[in-house]
Amino acid sequence: MLPERTVERLSEYRRSLLQCLEEGKTHIFSHELAELHHNTAVQVRRDIMFIGYTSMQRKGYDVRELINVIGDILDSEQGLNVAVIGVGNLGRAITTYFIGKRSKLNIIATFDVDTTKIDRVISGVKCYPLSRLKEIVEKEDISIAIMTVPADSASEVSTQLVDSGIKGVLNFTTVPLQVAPDVYMDEYDMITSLEKVAYFVKTART
Amino acid sequence: MLPERTVERLSEYRRSLLQCLEEGKTHIFSHELAELHHNTAVQVRRDIMFIGYTSMQRKGYDVRELINVIGDILDSEQGLNVAVIGVGNLGRAITTYFIGKRSKLNIIATFDVDTTKIDRVISGVKCYPLSRLKEIVEKEDISIAIMTVPADSASEVSTQLVDSGIKGVLNFTTVPLQVAPDVYMDEYDMITSLEKVAYFVKTART
DNA sequence: GAAATATTGTTAATTTAATCACAGTTTAGG
DNA sequence: CCTAAACTGTGATTAAATTAACAATATTTC
Ligand SMILES: NC(=O)c1ccc[n+]([C@@H]2O[C@H](COP(=O)([O-])OP(=O)(O)OC[C@H]3O[C@@H](n4cnc5c(N)ncnc54)[C@H](O)[C@@H]3O)[C@@H](O)[C@H]2O)c1
Ligand SMILES: NC(=O)c1ccc[n+]([C@@H]2O[C@H](COP(=O)([O-])OP(=O)(O)OC[C@H]3O[C@@H](n4cnc5c(N)ncnc54)[C@H](O)[C@@H]3O)[C@@H](O)[C@H]2O)c1
């Protein structure tokens, strides 16, 4: 099990590496990758050490190989299915955005309680009533949920998610959620991010 | 200057505290606050120690007072003005969402290059052409930008942001941006978050 | 009003993450 | 073929963040 920060950085490296590949770059040095990611060459090498890949000495890392090795670590062979819960402004933006982005992570369903949204199709993904959550999650083997419901229903919905058999949640509501210990949860709070930026802008001024 | 993680947690505590206030709760213990936030009572007390607030012993923290003290630390007295750059799906969602949420952080302008979007008003906020960035930033005293432009224009736009005098950036594009050292930048990469969730779901399975 | 209980604030210890420092390769140039 | 230069991989070290441990203090109970 890799450190969380390392997992994040590997995902980020991979995106840069894919970009490199498109530009026809076949090899990359640790210090080049570092420069692209606000960190140091040592950190990059250490991260890559974690996944047990070694480069051709003096030529840098083979871009294509490194992409594959990162894929072996991060991706599940058969891919994982994802659902978006709450098809409001944010849920719609995310659904539209993700379609076709990652071959190993497919958004294959959305859920809502608003009857005007149910059965609507966004970017090829159908919206189901939340009452059918468990049924669809089981039938379609969905293991990850992206939560974009209003704050006041967040905690109730999260219980339903866990009951339905979801194993990972990416929570965008501003409510910290309690889930069973075998469910992995990542929370992102936009207001917190913005307040953090504001704090550092403020303190830099003085 | 507080540790970054502490700043984040303080912002999160504050939101819970505001919620408590609404529910008529006047005092809160460190372990209660901890429970709401996936962390420990010691961590809460240490964070609060950082900002130099002390409770009434044995009664817990005075909710209202603690909110004010956190405000003194996080907020700027006159508030800070914010602009959203790139009024696509995500930019629109964020703009709509933020309006009225935080009295000390006001989104007061959006920018785009798409002529069909310019001059449109979203939730009371007007969209300006990107070419007027510097002019408006100076006139309206905007210090923070939220970046939601497409990846391929991200790095160019970030240069313009810095030139215009922006001091803090919240970057939602998937491109790591280079900014001047006196500009604070926070980057959030949704794909990375989702891949991280997927990784931990995958490894938990084995 | 003494003892038991609950909670804080803080020092010390521990754990985790990042950085330093350098030996070990490979390649290039003479 | 020898030396210098350029990078990598990793043990050792340092720094940062978290957790444990506990004295100090207020409150309740009897
Ligand atoms: N919009 C943003 O940019 C933004 C930013 C940060 C955080 N958030 C958070 O994301 C969440 C959604 O924000 P939004 O702007 O998209 O809100 P929204 O009101 O546009 O969308 C919410 C959607 O959830 C649906 N919904 C309500 N109750 C539900 C339930 N029990 N189960 C399933 N669906 C349900 C609603 O019908 C609606 O379609 C909120 O919790 C908000 O705090 C949004
Ligand atoms: N939609 C999401 O949920 C989501 C999730 C993660 C990351 N992102 C990132 O956010 C960014 C925007 O995503 P989106 O889905 O809103 O895209 P979008 O295409 O809907 O919106 C992009 C907007 O930016 C405008 N634009 C283009 N070039 C510009 C420039 N030079 N200056 C100002 N505006 C410009 C476009 O006219 C458009 O309005 C992308 O970089 C994407 O990677 C989006």
Side-chain angles (χ1 to χ4, degrees), chain A residues 83-125:
Chain A
V84 172
I85 322 294
V87 196
N89 292 320
L90 185 59
R92 267 197 311 277
I94 290 178
T95 307
T96 311
Y97 175 68
F98 260 104
I99 292 305
K101 271 272 151 60
R102 276 274 164 276
S103 57
K104 297 295 185 183
L105 287 175
N106 292 307
I107 296 187
I108 59 167
T110 65
F111 293 86
D112 209 300
V113 287
D114 182 343
T115 49
T116 67
K117 288 180 179 157
I118 289 164
D119 286 334
R120 262 179 52 188
V121 175
I122 299 170
S123 317
V125 180

Side-chain angles (χ1 to χ4, degrees), chain A residues 1-2 4 7-8 11-12 14-15 35-38 72-76 78 80 82 89-90 93-94 96-98 101-102 105 141 143-144 146 167-170 172 174 176-178 184-203 205, chain B residues 1-2 4 7-8 11-12 14-15 35-38 72-76 78 80 82 89-90 93-94 96-98 101-102 105 141 143-144 146 167-170 172 174 176-178 184-203 205:
Chain A
M1 181 97 67
L2 303 174
E4 232 168 277
V7 173
E8 290 178 16
S11 161
E12 285 159 17
R14 170 159 70 176
R15 205 154 37 252
E35 201 171 355
L36 292 170
H37 290 273
H38 312 304
D72 290 345
I73 299 286
L74 295 188
D75 300 336
S76 302
Q78 359 63 283
L80 292 177
V82 179
N89 292 320
L90 185 59
I94 290 178
T96 311
Y97 175 68
F98 260 104
K101 271 272 151 60
R102 276 274 164 276
L105 287 175
D141 188 26
S143 46
I144 296 176
I146 300 178
K167 289 301 171 208
V169 178
L170 179 46
F172 285 109
T174 50
L177 301 175
Q178 313 292 334
Y184 181 87
M185 180 154 62
D186 193 53
E187 310 202 308
Y188 178 71
D189 189 325
M190 240 174 245
I191 295 184
T192 290
S193 277
L194 196 60
E195 289 188 344
K196 184 171 68 165
V197 173
Y199 169 79
F200 285 106
V201 166
K202 171 193 173 185
T203 55
R205 276 190 177 172
Chain B
M1 180 97 68
L2 303 174
E4 235 169 274
V7 173
E8 290 178 15
S11 160
E12 285 158 17
R14 171 160 66 176
R15 204 153 39 251
E35 202 170 355
L36 292 170
H37 291 274
H38 312 302
D72 290 344
I73 299 286
L74 296 188
D75 299 337
S76 302
Q78 358 64 281
L80 293 178
V82 179
N89 292 318
L90 185 60
I94 291 178
T96 310
Y97 175 68
F98 260 105
K101 272 271 151 62
R102 276 276 163 276
L105 287 174
D141 188 28
S143 47
I144 295 176
I146 300 177
K167 289 300 172 210
V169 178
L170 178 46
F172 286 110
T174 51
L177 301 175
Q178 313 291 334
Y184 181 87
M185 179 152 65
D186 193 52
E187 310 201 310
Y188 178 71
D189 189 326
M190 241 173 244
I191 296 185
T192 289
S193 278
L194 196 61
E195 289 189 342
K196 184 172 66 165
V197 173
Y199 169 80
F200 285 106
V201 167
K202 170 193 173 184
T203 56
R205 278 191 175 172

